Every structure is written in C-alpha cells, then in structure tokens.
Amino acid sequence: MPITDFGHPPSLLPYGARDSYRRDPVEREVPAITLENEHLRAVFLPGLGGRLWSLVELSTGRELLHRNPVIQPANLALRDAWFAGGVEWNLGTTGHWALTCDPLHAAWVAAPYPVLRLYEYERMRGLVVQIDAALPPGSRALVVSVAVRNPRPESVPVYWWSNIAVPQTPGTRVLAPAALADHFGYAHRLTTVPYPGDPDVSRPGTWRAAADYFFHVTSETPWIAAVDAEGHGLLHTSTPRLRGRKLFGWGTSPGGDHWQRWLSGPRSPYLEIQAGLARTQLEHLALPGHTTWTWTETYRPLALPAPDAPYDRARAAVDALVQASGQPETGPWTELPVTDVIHRGSGWGALERRAGAARVGGHALPRRHARR
C-alpha cells in the first residue's frame, strides 16, 4: 500500500531529549494506582506515561501482561528514553510517544464505582488526551475509554497505538480476525502476505528476525489475542474506530536476543500486540478542528479450549467468543467531572488556557486544577 509523508513532523519540538538515565540498577519507589474488582487487578504508573503495568486474573493469579522485572530505559522512543512492559499509550507521531516517560495527571472520576482518569496536553500536536479506566463490578474485562480532543480550529494529523506487551514463550500464538497482513521488516517496505502463512508466523517464538505484521482486520469488532501453549492469555477488543491491529516480535537472532536481555533481563522475553487508529504505523489520520475522537478498549483473560487446533479453528473460536460478548460499550464516564486529583502531570495545558491559544477545557482539565 502507498505510504505518504502526511503527518510526519520535521522535528520533535517543543520536546527535548530524555537521555539522562543510566544503567546502574537501583531500587526506588514508583507511584502506582490500583483498580480491582472480583475478577481482575490493574496497576497503572501515572509518573511514567500512565502505563498500565500489570493486569492480574485473581482466580488464577495469572499475570496477563509482560510485567517487566526492571524499569530500564533505552534509546527507543521519540525522545530517547523508553522501557518495555505493560500497555503503553502512543499519541502523536510514528514511534513511542513523547510522554512515554513523563508524568500524566491522574484523578478519580465522579462515578458510582472507581474510575481512573489519566490526562495530559500533548504539545507537539496541541491535543488533549483523556484515558478513563475502570473495572465495573462483576466485569471480567478492564474497560478503557479514550478521548483525543483537538481544541483548535485547524485539522491536526493524529496517530494512536495501544502497545500491549505480553509474555513470549516457545508456544505463544497470536490470533487476529484477518487472513492477510502487511509485513514490515529490515527492508523497510510493506509487503502484503497471507497470515499465518507457511511457515506459520503466528508463533513469534519461531521467528529468526524481528518484524511487524499489520493485520487486514475483517471483524466489525476488531480484536487481537495472544495465548500460550496451554491456550491461556490476553484478549483485546475495541470499538470500530480503533481498527488497526499489529504483531511485533524481536525474533531469535543474536540481535533480537540482545534487545530482549537489554530491556528485560535474561529470562523475561516478550512480544507486542497492538491496536491503532490506522492500518499501519506509517500513517496518520486527519482529526478535524474542534473535534473529539473516542473509542473503548477491553482487556480480558482468554482460555482457548483447544489451543493446538489448526489456526483457522482457533481463530474462529476466539471470534465466536468476541461476537458472543458483543461490541465493547463506551464507558459512561467520559463526560463526567473528576473529584480528587491524585497525581500531577505538566502545567502546559494550563498555560495554553491562560494564553488563550487554545480552549483546552472540558472535563479532562478541570479549571480548579489548571489555575494551580
């Protein structure tokens, strides 16, 4: 497919590099916020891009994400510092977003059960991002509702990918509602290929080289899943706006093994399943002025009854589960105000409001917070 230069910025200004980290391991406290119901426990890191760091199925004690034993930055993000693990929210332009290691604002929403709101003003695009996460009573899925607001009159190129790191074992299998995918490797070009193809690339632990696979999703409820050899793993679904799905693996070459050890240590391999606004990460979409785009994502445990079934049968089994569950419902909290602000991000949104350069208002940036 043709790729254009639309949306690719000439620089990362007004952001500077984040390169003052070291590789000397030291223990320190990191702020964390926990949501929990009868079935799941979710932990977020508001000081590090609002990363969803852990999602545990309480009945089994199984960790559904790659919960990295270390937080070790490396030069992989747009501004340099990036670390592996959990679910990273990516807004802005191609790559790991500018705020991946920066603090976000966090607050509780005025809802009948705990709803966590993470929000910030993204300076390069001039957008307000709001991420509302909840574990409603009785829910077997973490529900995440995202709103990206363009407060200015002009259209803005927008890019979003939810980057989900999950454990990789020799038998890990990735399924998606697609028979085709766009392969992107070291040749730096997109090639449409059958998925899973022959040899079967749905098992990233068998790859030699690192690669991306961008799926041609056919389901009205987009989804992607990763399961281990026993059929246990994570299922991600969303409303249709978040239509893109991607698989990334490091491969088993010396280079891939080195990156895995560099980021997570010697015994913590992982892969990434991702969800985005466009089909691939080489594209941006135009968000019109004074417009808000919203969507809802769900993260839930998955247990396949026949994990060794042929790919088409395994995929059909997941698709049946997704269709039986129905499309994720948009959280009813998006327009609700916040109550207690429990973590501070930057003050750039407040400065924009004071300068009158943008109407950075709404429930994402409460006025009593912005004046401080």
Side-chain angles (χ1 to χ4, degrees):
M1 64 179 295
I3 301 299
T4 71
D5 290 333
F6 172 74
H8 294 276
S11 78
L12 294 177
L13 292 174
Y15 295 112
R18 295 218 58 179
D19 56 3
S20 60
Y21 55 87
R22 304 175 62 181
R23 291 196 64 88
D24 302 326
V26 60
E27 289 190 7
R28 68 181 182 91
E29 292 186 356
V30 175
I33 302 171
T34 300
L35 291 172
E36 186 171 332
N37 68 2
E38 313 95 294
H39 303 294
L40 296 168
R41 179 188 303 118
V43 178
F44 296 81
L45 304 182
L48 293 167
R51 187 85 58 106
L52 170 58
W53 190 238
S54 170
L55 185 63
V56 174
E57 183 183 26
L58 296 179
S59 62
T60 63
R62 183 176 290 112
E63 174 62 67
L64 304 178
L65 303 175
H66 169 54
R67 185 172 59 191
N68 200 331
V70 296
I71 297 177
Q72 175 57 64
N75 183 8
L76 286 170
L78 292 171
R79 297 170 63 194
D80 191 327
W82 181 82
F83 62 99
V87 179
E88 175 192 25
W89 322 109
N90 286 280
L91 171 69
T93 188
T94 303
H96 297 286
W97 73 315
L99 301 182
T100 193
C101 287
D102 280 16
L104 300 192
H105 300 289
W108 296 115
V109 175
Y113 47 81
V115 176
L116 174 65
R117 176 164 298 164
L118 302 160
Y119 54 97
E120 187 51 277
Y121 179 70
E122 200 287 304
R123 298 169 64 202
M124 183 170 60
R125 298 301 195 193
L127 300 173
V128 178
V129 58
Q130 174 181 315
I131 303 162
D132 290 344
L135 282 169
S139 175
R140 295 184 179 274
L142 174 69
V143 181
V144 178
S145 290
V146 181
V148 177
R149 294 185 171 93
N150 179 5
R152 290 181 167 81
E154 63 272 11
S155 176
V156 173
V158 69
Y159 166 103
W160 176 282
W161 285 81
S162 300
N163 181 1
I164 308 159
V166 295
Q168 177 180 298
T169 67
T172 298
R173 193 181 205 183
V174 175
L175 305 108
L180 297 173
D182 292 325
H183 171 266
F184 190 77
Y186 287 114
H188 285 194
R189 63 174 179 265
L190 288 171
T191 305
T192 301
V193 298
Y195 187 88
D198 184 16
D200 183 352
V201 296
S202 69
R203 300 182 187 273
T206 66
W207 298 358
R208 178 64 178 167
D212 298 321
Y213 286 89
F214 298 101
F215 295 105
H216 294 211
V217 172
T218 57
S219 174
E220 293 184 3
T221 301
W223 61 266
I224 191 168
V227 295
D228 61 20
E230 288 72 44
H232 297 289
L234 176 75
L235 171 62
H236 176 276
T237 68
S238 72
T239 46
R241 185 178 293 280
L242 201 70
R243 67 186 182 94
R245 290 298 185 275
K246 172 192 165 182
L247 161 62
F248 168 77
W250 285 108
T252 58
S253 68
D257 286 343
H258 170 78
W259 272 113
Q260 294 268 28
R261 294 193 303 272
W262 186 256
L263 293 167
S264 299
R267 292 175 294 277
S268 299
Y270 74 96
L271 59 89
E272 295 169 359
I273 54 176
Q274 302 188 21
L277 290 173
R279 178 182 288 178
T280 77
Q281 291 176 329
L282 305 179
E283 305 163 74
H284 298 72
L285 304 181
L287 176 58
H290 300 309
T291 299
T292 299
W293 281 353
T294 62
W295 64 88
T296 296
E297 310 176 35
T298 67
Y299 298 78
R300 70 180 70 221
L302 175 63
L304 280 181
D308 291 328
Y311 181 87
D312 287 346
R313 282 179 49 198
R315 172 188 139 181
V318 180
D319 201 50
L321 289 171
V322 171
Q323 300 310 317
S325 300
Q327 196 173 98
E329 294 185 5
T330 301
W333 340 283
T334 304
E335 296 302 323
L336 293 178
V338 301
T339 54
D340 299 322
V341 177
I342 55 178
H343 192 270
R344 302 291 185 182
S346 78
W348 290 110
L351 288 175
E352 288 286 336
R353 174 184 285 157
R354 285 185 176 182
R359 300 189 177 202
V360 193
H363 298 300
L365 295 174
R367 292 187 180 277
R368 63 185 177 86
H369 181 196
R371 285 198 296 267
R372 295 182 180 176

